[in-house]
DNA sequence: CGATGGATGAACT
DNA sequence: GTTCATCCATCGT
């Protein structure tokens, strides 16, 4: 049950709602016989229109191609030498998505340590950032456009197990435009969220 | 074809 | 609090 994938219609909704509802869900990386699992504890919504901070403002390019495809697909981009993972939302042609910013390691933590480097001794640092979690789960451009609603994919999203928490909305991190919009969502008091930056 | 600039992370003071 | 290594798609020439 906890590894049943989320259905298509979970993602074919308003992006801000999907971002908030993804908190507590499981991100699952299938590698051979092993499942690497993290609980989503931080997310951000990026809208296809009226959002100056979103990649969608660049229009349909080779980089943003996946954003224009079906909701539930993976949109991955490279930034400063790191990968970042998004889930496509809304409808085909509406280039919206949710950035997965932090995970709480659930299963496969030894694999995550190997991926992140043996110098990482504090488990809180394994997956508390969009680039870190991609490194920890071995997510790369090989997963660009994969179906995150399919349990046979190397990467997908699942309901997870029951988990009670409070949600907090804050401004998004690392952007210079539209900083007034409270489209970052975190699980209150969860130690695996990213540190907030100052500007 | 060179320049630019990030939805970052790590290592500093 | 700060700096800086990082990569490549995109854009200007």
């Amino acid at each position: 049950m906890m590894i049943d994938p989320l259905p298509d219609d979970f993602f074919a909704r308003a992006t801000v709602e999907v971002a908030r509802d993804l908190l507590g869900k499981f991100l699952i990386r299938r590698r051979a016989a092993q499942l690497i699992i993290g609980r989503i504890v931080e997310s951000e919504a990026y809208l296809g229109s009226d959002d100056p901070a979103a990649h969608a403002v660049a229009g349909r390019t080779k980089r943003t191609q996946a954003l224009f495809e079906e909701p539930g697909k993976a949109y991955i981009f490279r930034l400063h030498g790191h990968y970042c993972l998004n889930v496509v939302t809304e409808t085909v042609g509406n280039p919206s998505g949710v950035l997965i910013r932090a995970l709480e390691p659930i299963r496969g933590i030894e694999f995550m340590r190997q991926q992140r480097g043996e110098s990482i001794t504090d488990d809180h640092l394994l997956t508390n950032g969009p680039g870190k979690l991609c490194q920890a789960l071995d997510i790369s451009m090989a997963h660009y456009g994969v179906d995150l609603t399919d349990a046979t994919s190397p990467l997908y999203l699942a309901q997870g197990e029951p988990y009670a928490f409070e949600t907090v909305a804050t401004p998004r991190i690392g952007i210079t435009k539209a900083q007034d919009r409270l489209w970052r969502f975190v699980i209150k008091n969860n130690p695996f969220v990213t540190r907030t930056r100052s500007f």
Side-chain angles (χ1 to χ4, degrees):
Chain A
M1 181 183 295
M2 75 180 221
I3 58 174
D4 284 348
L6 292 168
D8 294 352
D9 59 15
F10 180 92
F11 302 100
R13 296 185 293 142
T15 306
V16 172
E17 290 181 23
V18 177
R20 188 174 49 226
D21 292 348
L22 274 174
L23 294 183
K25 302 295 191 287
F26 281 1
L27 176 65
I28 302 184
R29 175 78 168 93
R30 257 189 350 102
R31 274 182 56 90
Q34 190 181 20
L35 294 183
I36 319 297
I37 304 179
R39 173 185 286 131
I40 297 171
V41 298
E42 177 174 346
S43 64
E44 286 178 359
Y46 287 89
L47 274 56
S49 60
D50 193 32
D51 185 359
H55 289 173
V57 299
R60 187 174 192 142
T61 65
K62 179 184 176 186
R63 185 194 195 206
T64 61
Q65 164 66 25
L67 271 178
F68 291 78
E69 297 176 5
E70 290 80 10
K73 285 195 168 187
Y75 165 53
I76 297 171
F77 64 94
R78 192 155 199 164
L79 177 71
H80 296 282
H82 306 277
Y83 297 111
C84 296
L85 171 68
N86 291 246
V87 199
V88 178
T89 58
E90 306 274 354
T91 55
V92 174
N94 181 340
S96 309
V98 174
L99 172 69
I100 309 299
R101 284 193 54 88
L103 301 175
E104 175 179 345
I106 298 292
R107 184 189 294 183
I109 196 164
E110 288 298 332
F111 177 82
M112 298 185 197
R113 287 200 195 98
Q114 291 171 23
Q115 288 293 302
R116 294 277 293 128
E118 299 301 330
S119 61
I120 306 289
T121 55
D122 185 348
D123 289 346
H124 292 180
L125 302 178
L126 288 175
T127 52
N128 66 334
K132 295 179 191 178
L133 71 89
C134 284
Q135 187 182 7
L137 271 61
D138 189 29
I139 297 167
S140 70
M141 281 305 179
H143 308 113
Y144 190 91
V146 304
D147 185 356
L148 298 175
T149 69
D150 182 352
T152 68
S153 290
L155 192 65
Y156 65 98
L157 288 156
Q159 175 63 37
E161 54 195 23
Y163 179 70
F165 59 89
E166 283 185 61
T167 299
V168 180
T170 81
R172 294 172 292 180
I173 303 297
I175 58 171
T176 57
K177 299 172 182 172
Q179 291 169 324
D180 58 316
R181 299 176 197 185
L182 304 181
W183 289 345
R184 171 177 177 256
F185 299 97
V186 303
I187 290 182
K188 188 176 183 179
N189 295 328
N190 187 290
F192 296 92
V193 303
T194 64
R195 74 178 180 92
T196 52
R197 296 173 184 236
S198 57
F199 291 97

